Amino acid sequence: MPPHLRRRRRPAGEEDEEAQQRQPQPNFEVGTLVEIASTDDGFRGSWYTATIVRRRPSRRSSSSAASYAVEFQELYEDEEGTRRVTEEVEESQIRPIPPEEPNPKRDFEVGDEVEARYNDGWWEGVVVDRLRGGRFGVLFKEWKERVVFKVGDLRVSCKWVDGSWLLPSAAAVEDPQQEARSQMEMKGAKKMKTNEFTKGTPVEVSSDEDGYRGAWFAAVIVEEVSKGKYLVEFKNFRTEDGAEFLKEEADALHIRPCPPEIVVADNFDLFDEVDALYNDSWWVGVISKVLSKSRYTVYFRDTKEELEFQHSNLRIHQEWIGGRWMTASLVPKNMGLV
């Protein structure tokens, strides 16, 4: 798990410049349940539930904002969870608990701004995938990471501005930097549509041989042999004498970039289409049984076999189509296994 998504054990330190620029908040009474914005590197954009313990008047000037001592509800100083973290925070880091929606949104759309319940806090992100079973892929812009959540762990992202809660506008205009990034991604996608790979590019290679259909092998581009054909070096297979890694020629149609990582926050569900790591390669299969202790039985259509896997050896199946990665988000939940 990436460091920025690990459980936050210690209180935040420095004051966030962005938080300094926010509008002053109303005074919060002792005992009020609030949410605190983290200012730690790797944790910006996350909110944690806390209770106001006491108010500390500013030492600088009477016009400066006060700070507060707060006790976090779900962050602990010890592994046993007996001592809650207490911390002094600036008023600009505090907001009231967001209001409950009268009609909770249960069907988010791609592009919706949300907050995801993860590692004892709420993290700001954007929906980028609609998956089966009421689950959604959420992109955290701060570190370009995608994580899959069940709908029950998501809420609409609201902004606390001038003492009022504002919902994200459906007609919000994309900022210039984001638009520029999107254009760059489109240019990159157009280039990859032709399946042109440069020397040293990490890729995955498939095979049409009997017994290997549905498997993808990690490799590196060595060189372009001819138009649309490449010499690749496999990362996990060696020659018979073991002297060097195995090299083979592969058609561009059997080569794809390495898929982006999508972290599954909780667990896979029945009938989820996955890639399973088996014999040093990734095999396309379907979750046929959900077992205990993060274990699953995966059914492989091509071989009509079932094998058991740990959660860590599975990933969401993605297809490289038209120069972009697509998830199996529209496959019916009641699909058959044969």
Side-chain angles (χ1 to χ4, degrees), residues 175-227:
D175 64 85
Q177 290 185 350
Q178 178 63 31
E179 185 176 356
R181 285 195 296 268
S182 298
Q183 291 178 353
M184 290 178 62
E185 291 174 357
M186 289 178 64
K187 289 180 180 178
K190 288 179 180 178
K191 182 178 179 180
M192 294 305 295
K193 282 182 182 180
T194 60
N195 282 9
E196 295 178 356
F197 301 97
T198 57
K199 180 180 179 179
T201 302
V203 293
E204 291 187 347
V205 182
S206 66
S207 173
D208 282 336
E209 293 184 25
D210 290 339
Y212 291 96
R213 289 189 178 90
W216 288 90
F217 306 89
V220 175
I221 298 293
V222 176
E223 62 180 357
E224 184 176 12
V225 178
S226 59
K227 187 65 175 178

Side-chain angles (χ1 to χ4, degrees), residues 4-16:
H4 52 265
L5 294 183
R6 294 188 184 128
R7 177 168 174 160
R8 177 176 178 267
R9 293 285 179 190
R10 290 293 177 179
E14 305 174 352
E15 189 171 342
D16 187 16

Side-chain angles (χ1 to χ4, degrees), residues 32-309:
T32 303
L33 201 62
V34 295
E35 289 188 346
I36 309 299
S38 175
T39 59
D40 282 342
D41 289 339
F43 290 88
R44 289 179 172 83
S46 62
W47 294 86
Y48 298 87
T49 306
T51 302
I52 300 293
V53 176
R54 58 184 173 275
R55 183 176 184 270
R56 299 179 183 273
S58 174
R59 305 183 185 91
R60 291 171 289 183
S61 68
S62 58
S63 60
S64 299
S67 62
Y68 291 82
V70 300
E71 180 183 75
F72 290 93
Q73 296 294 296
E74 299 179 68
L75 301 180
Y76 297 91
E77 295 182 356
D78 59 331
E79 293 289 341
E80 293 75 23
T82 60
R83 297 193 307 274
R84 287 192 174 101
V85 169
T86 58
E87 175 185 347
E88 184 172 333
V89 299
E90 296 295 321
E91 199 168 51
S92 55
Q93 291 176 250
I94 307 174
R95 71 180 185 185
I97 298 294
E100 291 187 9
E101 299 173 68
N103 297 306
K105 187 174 183 178
R106 294 299 180 189
D107 188 20
F108 295 99
E109 300 291 342
V110 171
D112 283 353
E113 294 183 11
V114 295
E115 291 175 3
R117 176 72 173 169
Y118 196 51
N119 280 349
D120 305 317
W122 290 95
W123 298 70
E124 297 174 355
V126 177
V127 174
V128 293
D129 294 301
R130 287 166 49 89
L131 307 173
R132 298 192 312 272
R135 297 190 302 163
F136 301 86
V138 176
L139 173 68
F140 298 109
K141 294 180 181 178
E142 186 73 19
W143 48 83
K144 302 296 185 295
E145 185 97 26
R146 282 194 293 177
V147 182
V148 174
F149 293 93
K150 292 183 177 179
V151 69
D153 292 323
L154 297 177
R155 69 185 186 189
V156 173
S157 179
C158 302
K159 303 298 182 185
W160 179 248
V161 180
D162 294 337
S164 300
W165 285 106
L166 298 180
L167 292 174
S169 172
V173 179
E174 190 175 32
D175 64 85
Q177 290 185 350
Q178 178 63 31
E179 185 176 356
R181 285 195 296 268
S182 298
Q183 291 178 353
M184 290 178 62
E185 291 174 357
M186 289 178 64
K187 289 180 180 178
K190 288 179 180 178
K191 182 178 179 180
M192 294 305 295
K193 282 182 182 180
T194 60
N195 282 9
E196 295 178 356
F197 301 97
T198 57
K199 180 180 179 179
T201 302
V203 293
E204 291 187 347
V205 182
S206 66
S207 173
D208 282 336
E209 293 184 25
D210 290 339
Y212 291 96
R213 289 189 178 90
W216 288 90
F217 306 89
V220 175
I221 298 293
V222 176
E223 62 180 357
E224 184 176 12
V225 178
S226 59
K227 187 65 175 178
K229 184 160 290 194
Y230 296 85
L231 180 66
V232 300
E233 180 181 84
F234 293 96
K235 290 185 177 181
N236 299 314
F237 300 97
R238 290 183 174 273
T239 54
E240 291 185 3
D241 59 6
E244 59 182 12
F245 286 106
L246 182 66
K247 295 184 179 69
E248 285 186 0
E249 289 188 8
D251 190 277
L253 296 176
H254 292 88
I255 304 175
R256 69 182 187 183
C258 294
E261 181 182 11
I262 301 179
V263 180
V264 177
D266 38 51
N267 56 270
F268 292 100
D269 289 333
L270 193 64
F271 303 125
D272 278 351
E273 194 168 9
V274 296
D275 293 338
L277 186 60
Y278 181 66
N279 285 344
D280 297 317
S281 55
W282 292 98
W283 299 73
V284 182
V286 177
I287 300 290
S288 58
K289 294 178 185 176
V290 178
L291 309 175
S292 60
K293 298 181 180 179
S294 299
R295 294 178 300 114
Y296 308 86
T297 300
V298 177
Y299 176 82
F300 301 97
R301 294 190 185 93
D302 289 333
T303 61
K304 294 183 172 52
E305 290 180 305
E306 283 187 317
L307 295 174
E308 187 176 309
F309 293 89

